[in-house]
């Protein structure tokens, strides 16, 4: 009798606050049951499916190698210029790879040469790698320069040297350049020799029945939310009315912040959010209706529209929409959320982030000691402090390793 994937409730996709990774967890249990039956299912006992356990980056700009063991809250601190954003951006490449836009993402960063390790070179091949462990998945991607003797048309495009996907500890994809050995969820083997060597396996395998696990990993990573900065200039989409349509989370550019505030107002924890906003902006009340939002200020007889908001107020509302969303993503990554905020807002900001920690894993990058302390006090997290030694990003107190590893 064929195994059917369990149904997912309507509440999990269209209403109410969902728990972490519920839909992905359902699908992954199904895929493991197809691959290895009860043996693999037993391995999942006590595991939160999709929870990130480890991330590693090697050969990326100022990073020779850094390994991060994930906790529920991952607080990355350090002075300006130490490489915090490099670590954040290397982590974000995981999503670019699973979305099938790896080459495009690297091009936006200035090309492959721009993201390569910038420190002293020793003998050995030039490589950049990223790897992820998110139970029951493991993923590793190694990129390198193209051999000059191939006379490539675009010599600065990255070439995938190796790509490995594991499910429940079993190797499902083992790829070298354009050749890949793949296993289906049912255990059938397949050889592909026609892959484009500058793009990930996720962009080139189109059979969701044979390769469910690729789609589950892709879906998991697609639900991660990365936020770096929000435009607050006069032409910013944050200052314009937004079409009222449902969205599970804040858009990357924050353009649907009005809609998100309205959803929270109608279905979310609006009382707690209102308390935080009252502390951050005394004498001010924020309102939302559909895609529009405004504020009412004591002593002013008309409502204040977003085009009149300060940059810091707009930024804070975007962070509120992220941290109080009714459909929290498995991971929220914020790169220097304190930027453009008055230091008086750091304590309320820590309250926002504390709320997000109840439903999502967090990656918070900050150079603010005040914000870091406020988060440690609330969440009892242990900061990962970075430093820069001789141009290399290292964990504080550790020595740099200025070399490339020899190719295996």
């Amino acid at each position: 009798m064929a195994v059917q994937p369990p149904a997912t409730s309507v509440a999990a996709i269209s209403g109410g606050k969902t728990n972490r990774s519920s839909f992905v967890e359902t699908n992954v249990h199904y895929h493991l049951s197809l691959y290895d039956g009860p043996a693999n299912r037993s391995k999942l006992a006590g595991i939160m499916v999709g929870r990130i356990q480890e991330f590693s980056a090697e050969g990326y700009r100022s990073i020779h190698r850094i390994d991060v063991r994930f906790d529920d809250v991952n607080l990355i601190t350090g002075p300006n210029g130490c490489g915090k954003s490099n670590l954040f951006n290397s982590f974000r490449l995981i999503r670019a790879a699973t979305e099938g836009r790896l080459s495009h993402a690297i091009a936006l960063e200035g090309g492959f040469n721009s993201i390569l390790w910038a420190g002293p070179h020793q003998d050995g091949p030039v490589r950049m790698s990223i790897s992820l462990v998110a139970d029951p998945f493991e993923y590793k991607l190694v990129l390198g320069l193209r051999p000059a003797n191939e006379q490539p048309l675009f010599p600065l495009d990255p070439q995938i040297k190796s790509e490995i996907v594991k499910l429940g500890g079993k190797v499902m994809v083992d790829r070298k350049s354009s050749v890949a050995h793949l296993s289906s969820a049912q255990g059938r083997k397949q050889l592909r020799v026609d892959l484009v060597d500058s793009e990930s396996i996720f962009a080139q395998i189109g059979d969701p029945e044979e390769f469910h696990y690729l789609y589950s990993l892709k879906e998991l990573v697609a639900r991660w939310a990365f936020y770096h900065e929000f435009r607050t200039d006069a032409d910013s989409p944050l200052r314009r009315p937004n079409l009222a349509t449902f969205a599970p989370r804040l858009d990357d550019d924050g353009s649907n912040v009005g809609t998100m505030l309205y959803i929270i107002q109608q279905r979310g924890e609006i009382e707690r959010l209102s308390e935080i906003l009252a502390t951050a902006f005394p004498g001010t009340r924020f309102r939302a209706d559909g895609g529009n939002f405004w504020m009412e200020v004591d002593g002013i007889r008309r409502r204040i529209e977003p085009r009149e908001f300060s940059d810091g107020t707009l930024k804070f509302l975007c962070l509120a929409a992220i941290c109080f969303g009714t459909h929290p993503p498995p991971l929220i990554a914020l790169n220097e959320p304190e930027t453009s905020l008055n230091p008086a807002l750091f304590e309320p900001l820590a309250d926002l982030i504390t709320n997000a920690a109840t439903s999502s894993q967090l990656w918070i990058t900050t150079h603010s000691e005040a914000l870091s302390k406020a988060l440690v006090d609330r969440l009892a997290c242990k900061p990962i402090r970075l430093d820069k030694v001789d141009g290399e990003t290292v964990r504080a107190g550790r020595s740099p390793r200025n070399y490339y590893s020899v190719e295996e």
Side-chain angles (χ1 to χ4, degrees), residues 95-117:
R95 189 168 77 172
T98 59
E99 289 178 344
R101 54 179 188 85
L102 179 66
S103 293
H104 179 68
I106 291 174
L108 290 178
E109 293 199 42
F112 190 52
N113 272 1
S114 296
I115 70 169
L116 284 174
W117 161 246

Side-chain angles (χ1 to χ4, degrees), residues 216-280:
S216 283
L217 178 54
K218 181 177 181 178
E219 180 184 22
L220 169 66
V221 176
R223 294 181 63 219
W224 295 352
F226 290 88
Y227 298 100
H228 175 54
E229 60 185 14
F230 300 102
R231 281 182 51 198
T232 55
D233 58 88
D235 294 323
S236 166
L238 276 64
R239 298 187 184 276
R240 299 195 297 267
N242 181 252
L243 180 65
T245 181
F246 177 81
R249 67 175 180 87
L250 187 73
D251 290 343
D252 291 351
D253 64 356
S255 58
N256 64 336
V257 60
T259 299
M260 293 304 301
L261 293 173
Y262 178 69
I263 293 171
I264 296 168
Q265 180 178 288
Q266 297 300 313
R267 295 185 177 178
E269 300 175 42
I270 188 60
E271 291 185 4
R272 175 57 181 147
L273 177 55
S274 296
E275 292 174 0
I276 296 173
L277 292 174
T279 300

Side-chain angles (χ1 to χ4, degrees), residues 282-300:
T284 301
R285 292 160 301 283
F286 296 90
R287 307 284 187 241
D289 183 12
N292 299 314
F293 65 106
W294 62 92
M295 65 181 178
E296 299 168 354
V297 181
D298 290 350
I300 298 179

Side-chain angles (χ1 to χ4, degrees), residues 373-391:
K373 181 180 184 303
L375 290 172
V376 170
D377 290 345
R378 287 163 172 78
L379 297 168
C381 54
K382 184 178 181 180
I384 299 171
R385 185 170 179 83
L386 301 183
D387 208 344
K388 186 171 279 189
V389 179
D390 295 333

Side-chain angles (χ1 to χ4, degrees), residues 136-377:
F137 302 108
E138 295 177 49
Y139 178 64
K140 183 171 184 179
L141 179 69
V142 181
L143 304 175
L145 297 172
R146 296 179 174 277
N149 59 9
E150 290 184 1
Q151 298 182 336
L153 187 60
F154 299 101
L156 297 184
D157 274 358
Q159 184 180 55
I160 292 178
K161 303 297 184 180
S162 173
E163 189 173 22
I164 295 174
V165 180
K166 294 182 181 181
L167 176 64
K170 296 181 180 297
V171 176
M172 306 297 284
V173 176
D174 186 358
R175 176 184 180 184
K176 303 293 184 185
S177 190
S178 60
V179 178
H181 295 270
L182 303 99
S183 295
S184 72
Q186 293 80 11
R188 289 188 289 271
K189 305 294 184 180
Q190 185 178 124
L191 176 65
R192 289 286 299 269
V193 297
D194 58 345
L195 299 177
V196 176
D197 65 6
S198 60
E199 200 48 83
S200 74
I201 196 75
F202 298 91
Q204 302 180 70
I205 299 300
D207 189 340
E209 293 186 2
E210 287 287 309
F211 305 105
H212 318 281
Y213 57 88
L214 290 178
Y215 285 81
S216 283
L217 178 54
K218 181 177 181 178
E219 180 184 22
L220 169 66
V221 176
R223 294 181 63 219
W224 295 352
F226 290 88
Y227 298 100
H228 175 54
E229 60 185 14
F230 300 102
R231 281 182 51 198
T232 55
D233 58 88
D235 294 323
S236 166
L238 276 64
R239 298 187 184 276
R240 299 195 297 267
N242 181 252
L243 180 65
T245 181
F246 177 81
R249 67 175 180 87
L250 187 73
D251 290 343
D252 291 351
D253 64 356
S255 58
N256 64 336
V257 60
T259 299
M260 293 304 301
L261 293 173
Y262 178 69
I263 293 171
I264 296 168
Q265 180 178 288
Q266 297 300 313
R267 295 185 177 178
E269 300 175 42
I270 188 60
E271 291 185 4
R272 175 57 181 147
L273 177 55
S274 296
E275 292 174 0
I276 296 173
L277 292 174
T279 300
F281 306 97
T284 301
R285 292 160 301 283
F286 296 90
R287 307 284 187 241
D289 183 12
N292 299 314
F293 65 106
W294 62 92
M295 65 181 178
E296 299 168 354
V297 181
D298 290 350
I300 298 179
R301 296 186 177 182
R302 66 174 180 84
R303 68 188 198 182
I304 308 299
E305 301 291 342
R307 63 179 177 272
E308 303 173 80
F309 287 11
S310 71
D311 293 353
T313 300
L314 277 176
K315 174 75 175 286
F316 195 87
L317 290 176
C318 285
L319 293 167
I322 294 166
C323 295
F324 274 80
T326 59
H327 290 67
L331 170 79
I332 296 174
L334 302 174
N335 191 27
E336 299 187 351
E338 75 278 6
T339 302
S340 82
L341 296 184
N342 187 297
L345 293 177
F346 289 178
E347 291 285 336
L349 172 57
D351 289 333
L352 293 181
I353 294 172
T354 298
N355 184 79
T358 63
S359 302
S360 304
Q361 276 190 285
L362 301 181
W363 173 301
I364 310 296
T365 296
T366 180
H367 62 253
S368 167
E369 293 294 337
L371 178 59
S372 178
K373 181 180 184 303
L375 290 172
V376 170
D377 290 345

Side-chain angles (χ1 to χ4, degrees), residues 57-86:
E58 185 171 357
Y60 183 91
R61 290 188 166 150
S62 63
I63 298 169
H64 174 265
R65 176 163 183 153
I66 289 183
D67 304 315
V68 179
R69 286 188 172 273
F70 265 67
D71 207 334
D72 289 337
V73 179
N74 305 277
L75 180 60
I76 315 296
T77 69
N80 281 336
C82 71
K84 300 185 302 295
S85 291
N86 286 344

